[in-house]
Amino acid sequence: MGQITLRGLDPELEKEIRRRAKESGRSLNGVILDILYRSAGYTKGKRAKNTLVELAGGWSEQEASEFIESIQSCEQIDEEMWK
């Protein structure tokens, strides 16, 4: 695995990273990796799911057709109600 050296880290940011590491009982490296992975949209080395379909799943063609059919009655307008 590669290494990166960070220079010019703001002292307040360093304090925050150290605080998080101390509170969680983790290493500085582990805390920094978590921050980097989250900010880049990765989880445990894999790209995080960013779309609703990826997060919640999707419908098959049959499921979508069944849903459309089930709401057909909601798409009818009762002209008498709108007079």
Side-chain angles (χ1 to χ4, degrees):
M1 187 170 289
Q3 273 186 297
I4 297 175
T5 301
L6 296 174
R7 292 182 185 89
L9 196 60
D10 184 273
E12 291 300 313
L13 180 56
E14 180 186 355
K15 282 171 62 174
E16 176 62 18
I17 292 168
R18 289 185 183 279
R19 183 193 66 75
R20 289 183 189 190
K22 185 176 181 178
E23 281 184 2
S24 65
R26 301 182 63 219
S27 68
L28 292 174
N29 190 71
V31 170
I32 292 168
L33 283 173
D34 280 350
I35 293 167
L36 290 172
Y37 277 114
R38 275 197 311 267
S39 70
Y42 284 75
T43 57
K44 295 190 180 184
K46 296 181 181 176
R47 184 82 174 123
K49 297 180 182 210
N50 290 321
T51 67
L52 185 56
V53 169
E54 290 175 312
L55 291 169
W59 286 347
S60 68
E61 297 255 348
Q62 181 179 348
E63 291 169 322
S65 294
E66 289 171 359
F67 175 75
I68 296 298
E69 186 178 323
S70 73
I71 63 168
Q72 286 294 35
S73 65
C74 299
E75 298 200 12
Q76 297 174 6
I77 298 172
D78 185 345
E79 298 292 334
E80 290 299 314
M81 285 185 76
W82 295 98
K83 289 184 179 179

PDB file of all heavy atoms in Angstrom, residues 59-67:
ATOM      1  N   TRP A  59     -36.685  -1.510  -9.036  1.00  0.00           N
ATOM      2  CA  TRP A  59     -37.761  -2.419  -9.395  1.00  0.00           C
ATOM      3  C   TRP A  59     -37.437  -3.108 -10.695  1.00  0.00           C
ATOM      4  O   TRP A  59     -36.845  -2.524 -11.597  1.00  0.00           O
ATOM      5  CB  TRP A  59     -39.056  -1.655  -9.568  1.00  0.00           C
ATOM      6  CG  TRP A  59     -39.686  -1.185  -8.295  1.00  0.00           C
ATOM      7  CD1 TRP A  59     -39.357  -1.577  -7.033  1.00  0.00           C
ATOM      8  CD2 TRP A  59     -40.738  -0.248  -8.170  1.00  0.00           C
ATOM      9  NE1 TRP A  59     -40.158  -0.930  -6.132  1.00  0.00           N
ATOM     10  CE2 TRP A  59     -41.007  -0.112  -6.797  1.00  0.00           C
ATOM     11  CE3 TRP A  59     -41.474   0.483  -9.062  1.00  0.00           C
ATOM     12  CZ2 TRP A  59     -41.995   0.732  -6.306  1.00  0.00           C
ATOM     13  CZ3 TRP A  59     -42.456   1.324  -8.584  1.00  0.00           C
ATOM     14  CH2 TRP A  59     -42.717   1.442  -7.216  1.00  0.00           C
ATOM     15  N   SER A  60     -37.916  -4.325 -10.804  1.00  0.00           N
ATOM     16  CA  SER A  60     -37.846  -5.021 -12.086  1.00  0.00           C
ATOM     17  C   SER A  60     -38.923  -4.410 -12.977  1.00  0.00           C
ATOM     18  O   SER A  60     -39.790  -3.664 -12.520  1.00  0.00           O
ATOM     19  CB  SER A  60     -38.103  -6.518 -11.889  1.00  0.00           C
ATOM     20  OG  SER A  60     -39.458  -6.725 -11.492  1.00  0.00           O
ATOM     21  N   GLU A  61     -38.873  -4.748 -14.264  1.00  0.00           N
ATOM     22  CA  GLU A  61     -39.898  -4.243 -15.202  1.00  0.00           C
ATOM     23  C   GLU A  61     -41.286  -4.692 -14.746  1.00  0.00           C
ATOM     24  O   GLU A  61     -42.240  -3.922 -14.799  1.00  0.00           O
ATOM     25  CB  GLU A  61     -39.615  -4.770 -16.607  1.00  0.00           C
ATOM     26  CG  GLU A  61     -38.311  -4.296 -17.185  1.00  0.00           C
ATOM     27  CD  GLU A  61     -38.505  -3.234 -18.236  1.00  0.00           C
ATOM     28  OE1 GLU A  61     -39.639  -3.021 -18.672  1.00  0.00           O
ATOM     29  OE2 GLU A  61     -37.495  -2.613 -18.594  1.00  0.00           O
ATOM     30  N   GLN A  62     -41.386  -5.928 -14.284  1.00  0.00           N
ATOM     31  CA  GLN A  62     -42.678  -6.453 -13.839  1.00  0.00           C
ATOM     32  C   GLN A  62     -43.177  -5.696 -12.611  1.00  0.00           C
ATOM     33  O   GLN A  62     -44.352  -5.326 -12.529  1.00  0.00           O
ATOM     34  CB  GLN A  62     -42.574  -7.945 -13.523  1.00  0.00           C
ATOM     35  CG  GLN A  62     -43.909  -8.528 -13.071  1.00  0.00           C
ATOM     36  CD  GLN A  62     -43.838 -10.010 -12.769  1.00  0.00           C
ATOM     37  OE1 GLN A  62     -42.862 -10.670 -13.101  1.00  0.00           O
ATOM     38  NE2 GLN A  62     -44.879 -10.527 -12.147  1.00  0.00           N
ATOM     39  N   GLU A  63     -42.303  -5.448 -11.642  1.00  0.00           N
ATOM     40  CA  GLU A  63     -42.702  -4.708 -10.441  1.00  0.00           C
ATOM     41  C   GLU A  63     -43.147  -3.297 -10.796  1.00  0.00           C
ATOM     42  O   GLU A  63     -44.144  -2.791 -10.255  1.00  0.00           O
ATOM     43  CB  GLU A  63     -41.551  -4.657  -9.441  1.00  0.00           C
ATOM     44  CG  GLU A  63     -41.225  -6.006  -8.814  1.00  0.00           C
ATOM     45  CD  GLU A  63     -39.926  -5.996  -8.043  1.00  0.00           C
ATOM     46  OE1 GLU A  63     -38.950  -5.348  -8.489  1.00  0.00           O
ATOM     47  OE2 GLU A  63     -39.887  -6.648  -6.980  1.00  0.00           O
ATOM     48  N   ALA A  64     -42.440  -2.645 -11.695  1.00  0.00           N
ATOM     49  CA  ALA A  64     -42.816  -1.291 -12.112  1.00  0.00           C
ATOM     50  C   ALA A  64     -44.175  -1.304 -12.802  1.00  0.00           C
ATOM     51  O   ALA A  64     -45.027  -0.444 -12.531  1.00  0.00           O
ATOM     52  CB  ALA A  64     -41.743  -0.709 -13.037  1.00  0.00           C
ATOM     53  N   SER A  65     -44.404  -2.282 -13.667  1.00  0.00           N
ATOM     54  CA  SER A  65     -45.701  -2.389 -14.360  1.00  0.00           C
ATOM     55  C   SER A  65     -46.835  -2.621 -13.372  1.00  0.00           C
ATOM     56  O   SER A  65     -47.912  -2.023 -13.491  1.00  0.00           O
ATOM     57  CB  SER A  65     -45.670  -3.535 -15.372  1.00  0.00           C
ATOM     58  OG  SER A  65     -44.775  -3.247 -16.402  1.00  0.00           O
ATOM     59  N   GLU A  66     -46.591  -3.492 -12.395  1.00  0.00           N
ATOM     60  CA  GLU A  66     -47.612  -3.767 -11.379  1.00  0.00           C
ATOM     61  C   GLU A  66     -47.926  -2.512 -10.571  1.00  0.00           C
ATOM     62  O   GLU A  66     -49.086  -2.259 -10.228  1.00  0.00           O
ATOM     63  CB  GLU A  66     -47.163  -4.897 -10.459  1.00  0.00           C
ATOM     64  CG  GLU A  66     -47.161  -6.253 -11.134  1.00  0.00           C
ATOM     65  CD  GLU A  66     -46.512  -7.346 -10.295  1.00  0.00           C
ATOM     66  OE1 GLU A  66     -46.031  -7.060  -9.169  1.00  0.00           O
ATOM     67  OE2 GLU A  66     -46.479  -8.500 -10.769  1.00  0.00           O
ATOM     68  N   PHE A  67     -46.906  -1.723 -10.271  1.00  0.00           N
ATOM     69  CA  PHE A  67     -47.141  -0.490  -9.522  1.00  0.00           C
ATOM     70  C   PHE A  67     -47.969   0.493 -10.339  1.00  0.00           C
ATOM     71  O   PHE A  67     -48.948   1.055  -9.838  1.00  0.00           O
ATOM     72  CB  PHE A  67     -45.810   0.151  -9.123  1.00  0.00           C
ATOM     73  CG  PHE A  67     -45.987   1.490  -8.457  1.00  0.00           C
ATOM     74  CD1 PHE A  67     -46.435   1.572  -7.146  1.00  0.00           C
ATOM     75  CD2 PHE A  67     -45.731   2.663  -9.143  1.00  0.00           C
ATOM     76  CE1 PHE A  67     -46.618   2.805  -6.532  1.00  0.00           C
ATOM     77  CE2 PHE A  67     -45.909   3.893  -8.539  1.00  0.00           C
ATOM     78  CZ  PHE A  67     -46.359   3.963  -7.229  1.00  0.00           C
TER      79      PHE A  67
END
